[in-house]
Amino acid sequence: MVRDATMGSKTADVVLIVVLSAITVTCILPIWYTLVLSLSSQSAAAAGKVWLWPVGFNVNAYMEIINDSQFFRSFFISVQRVVLAALFNFLAVVMMAYPLSKSPKQFRSRNVFMWILVFIMLFNGGLIPLYLTVKAYGLINSVWALVFVGGAQIIVFYVILTVNFFRNLPKELEEAALVDGAGPWYVLLKLYIPLAVPVLATVTLFCIVYHWNDFFFGLIFMTREQYYPLQTYIQQLVVAVDPSRMTEDQYKRLSELSNRTLDAAKIFVAMIPVLIVYPFLQRFFIHGITLGSVKE
Amino acid sequence: MRTKGFEKHYFIMLMPGLIWLILFSVVPMFGIVIAFQDYHPVRGIFGSEWVGLEHFIYMFTLNETKSIFLNTIFIAVMKIIGHLIIPLLFALMLNEVRVALFKRTVQTVVYLPHFLSWVILGGILLDIFAYRGPINQLLQWFGVEPILFFGRADLFPYLVVASDVWKEFGFNTIIYLAALTGIHPSLYEAAAMDGASRLRRLWHITLPGVRTTAVLLAVLSLGNVLNAGFDQIFNLYNPLVYSTGDIIDTWVYRAGLLNLQYELATAVGLLKSVVGFILISLSYYLAYRLTNYRIF
């Protein structure tokens, strides 16, 4: 790298670091503030005395969550949904990506299927037909609605990502295995899956974050609170307002009526799983998402 | 080498994923016929009467329709511009920093908001920007009257755009940074040898180096002109800001699932899907022609 020692260049360096630091702080500060708020006393929070450090430190909000059976039920539904979705997502993605990574010579219908997938990815019937379909399947209030509807929105994208990765693997590997008498299932299981760990890890982590974060399908497919996944529970109890009418005064008073510390604690707990997988995500996703655009 | 008979296995591998997509993506597509029917939930789509384009004609007589389309396009286009420019500026600034540890730390932190859901971030933002929240308290110290941030129709679209750019700029920076690392250091060394200043090097080496990426991202974002971000707006808006903040997706949700106007909501959703499909296809075509980009 080139180094300048001029005065102007050094000043520029300092300004850069200050500006970049300030921007970076804005990304972490709201999360820190939420944590601080959740650990402060309710009266201090209501009076707006909490800034960057807990005032009247206590864990009452978290104790209250522990006693909130609906919070736990929703948390568990979310966990269940994420585990099932990650599993089905993984199976469907590798099993679709492998045949689709073959050349049209090896698999004659390959391009037809590929275009069907692209069409499915780009076009959808809209919200109401989706809702009525799921209702007709009898999946209202079932966790399977969340697993399968959410999954159908994202797997095509993951399949294409994985297809592109498989296609860039050296052809000689598979040829050698085939010469030794291996079949397609063996090649997929023993050769392609182990080689594709980076992309499959990326895809699985993205899938986990997507399903953990989604609140909307929980909102429309679950008719009762007891079936809500965690994000839907928080959306309904902390964020949602009456969609039909509201005056300015009512809106002003909204924040005064809420229990800020308890809301902050709920939000923070819902963030924890994402914060836990985040370091792993980081390791993989930078490679993962740039893959799709690299061609031979 | 034995590859005959493999195609049968390829089909078997594709089946589970295809069935999943057919059930939850393709079948709902047929539900769009509701838009052309006088839909009766008990009689279903096969027993309901056909009414042709009646709902579409009615749709265009509604004042709301015009306003939700305009709101959607206004917010989406501003977001597109923000998502193109801010990450580029940030990547250029980060690229000039020579302290590796600082660079890594900044990157790690700024990706984080991308992975948090809008339920979480919406909850946090509504609290921070509340009428008596911390931002208004800060403003008060400077003698500014409290502002009802997310309750003011004139401010709402700009707050939505700014908060979305804030959430995503870190993640969008990745692709620019990947392009920047692709520039060979010898170019900078040669330029420095010839006496080019830091700014000149930025202008003549760095910017041309990211031009293709910037063009590609600009073209691909064409597909988002009707996507103003449902999750975000749904978690931030309220009846006070419907005039400027209500978008197609939020309106379809309220009209369809809260007011049970299935046909009208489906018609509006279908119009959005069709236009969106055309825009995305066009953007992929342009991306292919301009930068040789292919999705598979």
Side-chain angles (χ1 to χ4, degrees):
Chain A
M1 205 63 210
V2 190
R3 297 203 172 271
D4 294 76
T6 58
M7 222 26 214
S9 191
K10 273 191 177 153
T11 324
D13 277 340
V14 172
V15 172
L16 266 179
I17 295 213
V18 170
V19 171
L20 287 171
S21 303
I23 297 171
T24 307
V25 165
T26 69
C27 292
I28 203 86
L29 209 55
I31 296 164
W32 175 250
Y33 181 72
T34 308
L35 176 64
V36 165
L37 201 58
S38 72
L39 293 170
S40 297
S41 78
Q42 222 173 302
S43 53
K49 284 183 189 146
V50 181
W51 291 97
L52 295 175
W53 203 251
V55 179
F57 180 90
N58 70 79
V59 291
N60 292 350
Y62 292 92
M63 296 309 274
E64 218 170 307
I65 288 181
I66 289 176
N67 291 321
D68 180 350
S69 61
Q70 185 50 47
F71 188 89
F72 270 97
R73 210 175 297 137
S74 292
F75 195 96
F76 180 70
I77 291 170
S78 280
V79 171
Q80 200 186 354
R81 168 187 186 177
V82 163
V83 171
L84 291 171
L87 192 75
F88 281 93
N89 181 76
F90 180 86
L91 289 175
V93 167
V94 290
M95 281 171 66
M96 289 181 100
Y98 175 67
L100 291 174
S101 68
K102 302 288 124 202
S103 68
K105 234 163 79 189
Q106 293 165 295
F107 183 27
R108 273 161 293 171
S109 338
R110 187 252 175 193
N111 283 348
V112 178
F113 282 118
M114 213 61 197
W115 282 113
I116 292 174
L117 287 195
V118 171
F119 179 76
I120 289 174
M121 183 171 74
L122 301 188
F123 187 77
N124 65 77
L127 176 64
I128 307 302
L130 181 66
Y131 172 75
L132 294 173
T133 309
V134 172
K135 204 172 168 188
Y137 292 160
L139 290 177
I140 297 294
N141 289 336
S142 159
V143 73
W144 294 106
L146 307 177
V147 171
F148 288 129
V149 174
Q153 313 270 322
I154 50 176
I155 50 173
V156 177
F157 177 69
Y158 297 160
V159 168
I160 292 175
L161 214 67
T162 312
V163 165
N164 288 331
F165 185 86
F166 281 168
R167 287 177 80 191
N168 286 333
L169 293 174
K171 305 263 174 301
E172 295 76 13
L173 284 171
E174 187 179 16
E175 279 164 17
L178 293 178
V179 167
D180 291 343
W185 293 92
Y186 187 87
V187 170
L188 173 61
L189 208 64
K190 295 284 177 177
L191 211 60
Y192 273 51
I193 292 180
L195 286 170
V197 166
V199 71
L200 293 176
T202 309
V203 158
T204 305
L205 287 170
F206 268 94
C207 169
I208 288 173
V209 172
Y210 170 85
H211 278 276
W212 182 265
N213 279 344
D214 173 67
F215 75 98
F216 186 60
F217 295 132
L219 180 65
I220 62 175
F221 296 135
M222 305 296 131
T223 55
R224 276 190 233 123
E225 198 183 287
Q226 68 198 87
Y227 302 117
Y228 282 165
L230 190 58
Q231 300 277 335
T232 311
Y233 166 88
I234 291 179
Q235 204 276 329
Q236 284 294 287
L237 270 87
V238 180
V239 186
V241 296
D242 182 351
S244 50
R245 67 191 92 75
M246 179 175 277
T247 67
E248 210 167 289
D249 268 342
Q250 281 173 319
Y251 190 75
K252 272 184 196 168
R253 270 185 281 119
L254 266 186
S255 61
E256 292 160 40
L257 295 172
S258 63
N259 181 344
R260 288 180 73 203
T261 55
L262 182 60
D263 288 353
K266 283 176 179 168
I267 286 174
F268 194 77
V269 173
M271 253 193 287
I272 290 174
V274 177
L275 297 178
I276 290 173
V277 298
Y278 183 62
F280 301 98
L281 259 176
Q282 270 250 312
R283 238 183 85 198
F284 292 118
F285 76 77
I286 300 183
H287 307 287
I289 60 161
T290 43
L291 284 173
S293 49
V294 183
K295 294 287 141 37
E296 301 165 38
Chain B
M1 195 166 49
R2 183 179 58 92
T3 55
K4 256 212 271 170
F6 278 13
E7 283 197 313
K8 187 180 68 200
H9 292 283
Y10 293 156
F11 278 114
I12 296 172
M13 286 174 176
L14 278 176
M15 267 317 124
L18 274 183
I19 292 171
W20 184 346
L21 288 170
I22 288 168
L23 285 177
F24 292 94
S25 290
V26 179
V27 171
M29 285 180 200
F30 292 100
I32 56 184
V33 296
I34 293 169
F36 307 96
Q37 288 181 333
D38 180 15
Y39 179 73
H40 213 278
V42 182
R43 279 186 244 145
I45 57 169
F46 299 106
S48 297
E49 260 176 75
W50 295 88
V51 295
L53 294 174
E54 193 183 289
H55 301 301
F56 289 89
I57 294 164
Y58 177 63
M59 178 172 97
F60 286 111
T61 62
L62 283 178
N63 280 332
E64 277 169 293
T65 323
K66 200 178 142 196
S67 111
I68 57 169
F69 268 85
L70 288 178
N71 290 345
T72 304
I73 293 170
F74 181 68
I75 292 173
V77 169
M78 287 211 303
K79 277 186 181 180
I80 288 172
I81 296 169
H83 286 317
L84 282 173
I85 293 172
I86 303 296
L88 177 59
L89 290 178
F90 193 77
L92 291 176
M93 287 200 285
L94 204 57
N95 192 48
E96 290 294 318
V97 174
R98 293 150 220 196
V99 191
L101 180 68
F102 179 78
K103 230 167 146 172
R104 251 203 323 275
T105 315
V106 167
Q107 278 178 293
T108 307
V109 174
V110 295
Y111 299 152
L112 184 58
H114 170 80
F115 293 98
L116 298 173
S117 73
W118 270 116
V119 172
I120 301 293
L121 289 178
I124 295 177
L125 286 180
L126 287 180
D127 182 90
I128 293 179
F129 285 91
Y131 191 63
R132 298 195 188 285
I135 298 281
N136 271 322
Q137 272 186 295
L138 273 180
L139 287 177
Q140 244 170 334
W141 288 349
F142 296 103
V144 182
E145 286 292 302
I147 302 165
L148 196 59
F149 284 104
F150 284 99
R152 265 177 60 177
D154 55 335
L155 294 178
F156 189 79
Y158 301 98
L159 288 168
V160 164
V161 172
S163 55
D164 195 52
V165 170
W166 166 76
K167 182 179 191 280
E168 304 294 341
F169 82 90
F171 195 73
N172 293 336
T173 302
I174 297 173
I175 197 126
Y176 284 121
L177 286 175
L180 288 171
T181 45
I183 301 173
H184 206 279
S186 64
L187 287 174
Y188 291 104
E189 278 154 27
M193 208 84 86
D194 292 343
S197 71
R198 210 164 157 181
L199 272 178
R200 300 227 101 198
R201 294 199 296 264
L202 177 74
W203 186 254
H204 289 291
I205 300 171
T206 313
L207 281 180
V210 291
R211 192 170 50 201
T212 317
T213 308
V215 170
L216 177 63
L217 291 177
V219 172
L220 288 181
S221 60
L222 183 65
N224 280 330
V225 168
L226 289 185
N227 287 331
F230 173 84
D231 278 16
Q232 180 193 15
I233 291 180
F234 189 73
N235 283 304
L236 291 173
Y237 82 161
N238 59 74
L240 293 174
V241 295
Y242 281 173
S243 61
T244 59
D246 201 13
I247 56 167
I248 301 170
D249 297 323
T250 49
W251 186 87
V252 166
Y253 167 77
R254 291 202 319 280
L257 293 183
L258 298 185
N259 303 332
L260 302 180
Q261 295 173 286
Y262 286 155
E263 306 95 325
L264 185 61
T266 308
V268 174
L270 177 60
L271 186 63
K272 190 206 158 192
S273 287
V274 171
V275 177
F277 179 74
I278 294 169
L279 286 173
I280 298 178
S281 307
L282 186 68
S283 77
Y284 281 173
Y285 174 74
L286 285 176
Y288 173 65
R289 292 303 300 269
L290 293 173
T291 65
N292 218 9
Y293 170 89
R294 303 207 317 256
I295 44 173
F296 66 87

